[in-house]
Amino acid sequence: QSVLTQPPSASGTPGQGVTISCSGTSSNIENNFVYWYQQLPGAAPRLLMYRNDQRPSGVPDRFSGSKSGTSASLGISGLRSEDEADYYCATWDDSQSGYVFGSGTKVIVL
Amino acid sequence: EVQLVESGGGLVPPGGSLRLSCKGSGFKFSTYAMSWVRQAPGKGLEWVSVISGSGDNIYYADSVKGRFTISRDNYGNTLSLQMKSLRAEDTAVYFCVKILSTDWYAGFDYWGQGTLVAVSS
């Protein structure tokens, strides 16, 4: 059972937007930066968002991140077929002295 | 270009040992913390261990504490994971991951392609 809670799936048609939530606690999300990763089928994860809302170079501005209190969100606007993947949130947990991941959200482009 | 190349995976019986290695290139290896993250077949990501750039700070997930040992060779740009007393539940693809800074809590950025460890008799 993952420490961070994510919905199992999210879906939308091409061009639509989806939002993926990531819920944690005061020992993890509230006091640490949140990171988001995209994992395409059969591939290694790729950094999508760091320090809550910062996009690495090469990540389209269709992706956005935010954090408030013990929750964080990843937004994808203008959905494209290549966005179909698993998305994971992660952060450091002070009480566990380790990283924790969300259970992952599968984004489906209808 | 940052590259992380893992090696050492394979099939091992329960109770056995295995040593994974990861060669880093394209960045100043000694100035970044490094980590191992694993993914069981069809499952999500699970953090395993992290080591600071200097090697002075090391943390393990409870599931591997006392059985796995992370280490690094900053002269050879190599990260290692010594795994002992392996169990079936350790079966996973193990990813070598670079951390964003020398601080171990700074988040993962680059990932290797992974090496498969299968624990089975």
Side-chain angles (χ1 to χ4, degrees):
Chain A
Q1 190 169 350
S2 300
V3 173
L4 305 179
T5 301
Q6 293 181 238
S9 65
S11 62
T13 57
Q16 280 188 329
V18 295
T19 300
I20 302 168
S21 61
C22 176
S23 178
T25 68
S26 58
S27 69
N28 44 63
I29 288 182
E30 187 166 49
N31 292 313
N32 294 287
F33 288 121
V34 176
Y35 304 83
W36 289 92
Y37 302 91
Q38 177 194 59
Q39 188 175 31
L40 297 170
R46 163 201 180 198
L47 177 64
L48 211 56
M49 203 70 57
Y50 67 100
R51 294 178 190 164
N52 304 332
D53 57 8
Q54 301 299 300
R55 272 180 291 106
S57 61
V59 173
D61 59 6
R62 302 185 295 104
F63 293 90
S64 62
S66 66
K67 187 186 97 167
S68 179
T70 60
S71 293
S73 295
L74 176 73
I76 311 174
S77 62
L79 263 179
R80 304 176 67 159
S81 57
E82 57 260 39
D83 297 333
E84 200 159 271
D86 293 322
Y87 293 81
Y88 296 89
C89 58
T91 187
W92 182 263
D93 189 295
D94 295 324
S95 63
Q96 296 193 17
S97 293
Y99 284 96
V100 289
F101 281 98
S103 48
T105 298
K106 181 177 289 294
V107 168
I108 300 164
V109 182
L110 301 168
Chain B
E1 179 195 3
V2 172
Q3 286 199 334
L4 300 166
V5 180
E6 303 97 337
S7 61
L11 177 64
V12 60
S17 299
L18 207 59
R19 186 179 182 88
L20 305 182
S21 294
C22 169
K23 178 80 170 179
S25 61
F27 64 103
K28 191 171 181 181
F29 188 81
S30 62
T31 61
Y32 292 92
M34 297 292 296
S35 188
W36 290 97
V37 174
R38 68 185 181 183
Q39 187 170 36
K43 302 296 184 183
L45 301 171
E46 180 189 15
W47 170 73
V48 173
S49 182
V50 66
I51 184 169
S52 61
S54 65
D56 291 342
N57 298 94
I58 290 174
Y59 298 91
Y60 297 98
D62 287 344
S63 58
V64 307
K65 203 171 291 183
R67 300 187 299 122
F68 290 12
T69 302
I70 192 172
S71 62
R72 64 188 299 156
D73 172 6
N74 285 342
Y75 295 101
N77 293 353
T78 301
L79 176 73
S80 297
L81 185 68
Q82 178 67 52
M83 304 184 294
K84 299 180 179 179
S85 303
L86 283 162
R87 307 165 180 166
E89 53 265 37
D90 295 318
T91 294
V93 173
Y94 284 72
F95 295 102
C96 169
V97 191
K98 176 183 168 293
I99 302 293
L100 275 154
S101 79
T102 191
D103 298 321
W104 57 92
Y105 49 82
F108 317 112
D109 55 0
Y110 290 93
W111 299 63
Q113 285 306 300
T115 186
L116 177 63
V117 173
V119 184
S120 174
S121 54

